[in-house]
Each structure stands twice: as structure tokens, then as C-alpha cells.
């Protein structure tokens, strides 16, 4: 019973804080739109060269820009070019005339790059 009292006294002297109770306060806000953008990129492999591919371009560019905003807010400047380049290459307003196997591999590379940027851009909210 005395060990239990000692633990209670130690806990009373050192009250738990958010940091040591729940771990780090860092958030990965860019990961959500990055994952959805990667899914759209991988789904877009089926529509390359068809009329419905315009919707893939819109989806990818918007989700990449949302990811870029979250990376900007996290102040992770090294990861900021990744979603910006994806947004420019898949923009629907001035589309690039990419075709063939290199463009299909570009889908895979862009999906992986978006996932990495979203995973490594961590945001610490102010107290």
C-alpha cells in the first residue's frame, strides 16, 4: 500500500501536461489532402488520354495547392516546391501535352512525392 501512496504523491508533485500525456503536439495537416491527391493521381492512370482526364487534372491541381498551403503554414520550406510543381504540371488551365509511359510514371512519382511532402510537413499549433 505504501508504494501506491508514493506514486500518488509523485503524481501530485508533477501534474501531467499535454506534452507528456498525449505525446507531441505536432500535427500533420498536409497529409490528408496529400493522400487524397495521391489516390486521384493513381486513379487518373486509368483515364489518361480520355475526356474524363480533365477532372483528374482539376482534382490533382486543387489538392496539390491545398497541400502547399498546409506545408506553407507548417513553415516546412524544403517541402513546398513538391506540391507546387505537381499543381503546375497537372493544371487544367494551361495543360502540358504529356503522353506515353514517362507521363504514366510521372503519376507514380508525383503521388509518392505528395505523400512524402504531406507526411514530413509537421505543424506545431501556437499555445
Amino acid at each position: 500500500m505504501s508504494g501506491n501512496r508514493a506514486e500518488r504523491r509523485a503524481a501530485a508533485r508533477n501534474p501531467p501536461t499535454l506534452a507528456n500525456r498525449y505525446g507531441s503536439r505536432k500535427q500533420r495537416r498536409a497529409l490528408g489532402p496529400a493522400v487524397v491527391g495521391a489516390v486521384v493521381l493513381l486513379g487518373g492512370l486509368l483515364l489518361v488520354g480520355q475526356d474524363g482526364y480533365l477532372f483528374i487534372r482539376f482534382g490533382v491541381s486543387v489538392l496539390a495547392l491545398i497541400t502547399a498551403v498546409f506545408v506553407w503554414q507548417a513553415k516546412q520550406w524544403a517541402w513546398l516546391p513538391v506540391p507546387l510543381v505537381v499543381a503546375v504540371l497537372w493544371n487544367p488551365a494551361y495543360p502540358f501535352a504529356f503522353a506515353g509511359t514517362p507521363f504514366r510514371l510521372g503519376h507514380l512519382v508525383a503521388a509518392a512525392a505528395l505523400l512524402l511532402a504531406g507526411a514530413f510537413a509537421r505543424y506545431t499549433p501556437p499555445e
Side-chain angles (χ1 to χ4, degrees):
M1 204 61 164
S2 64
N4 199 9
R5 269 189 223 153
E7 289 174 6
R8 278 188 269 145
R9 272 190 250 139
R13 280 180 290 194
N14 299 323
T17 62
L18 284 178
N20 63 14
R21 176 180 274 182
Y22 299 112
S24 175
R25 293 189 59 228
K26 293 189 181 255
Q27 301 171 355
R28 288 183 172 92
R29 293 181 176 181
L31 186 59
V35 168
V36 177
V39 169
V40 172
L41 276 165
L42 294 177
L45 285 171
L46 300 173
L47 295 176
V48 172
Q50 297 180 8
D51 292 335
Y53 189 70
L54 178 66
F55 296 112
I56 299 298
R57 284 187 183 269
F58 271 108
V60 169
S61 62
V62 168
L63 289 165
L65 289 174
I66 292 171
T67 303
V69 168
F70 285 133
V71 170
W72 176 275
Q73 288 177 349
K75 296 180 182 167
Q76 301 289 321
W77 312 119
W79 292 104
L80 189 58
V82 172
L84 291 177
V85 167
V86 172
V88 168
L89 289 177
W90 272 268
N91 71 37
Y94 299 104
F96 292 100
F98 295 129
T101 305
F103 187 55
R104 291 181 188 269
L105 290 176
H107 275 260
L108 299 174
V109 171
L114 269 180
L115 287 174
L116 285 174
F120 285 115
R122 287 177 282 184
Y123 174 76
T124 304
E127 302 241 356

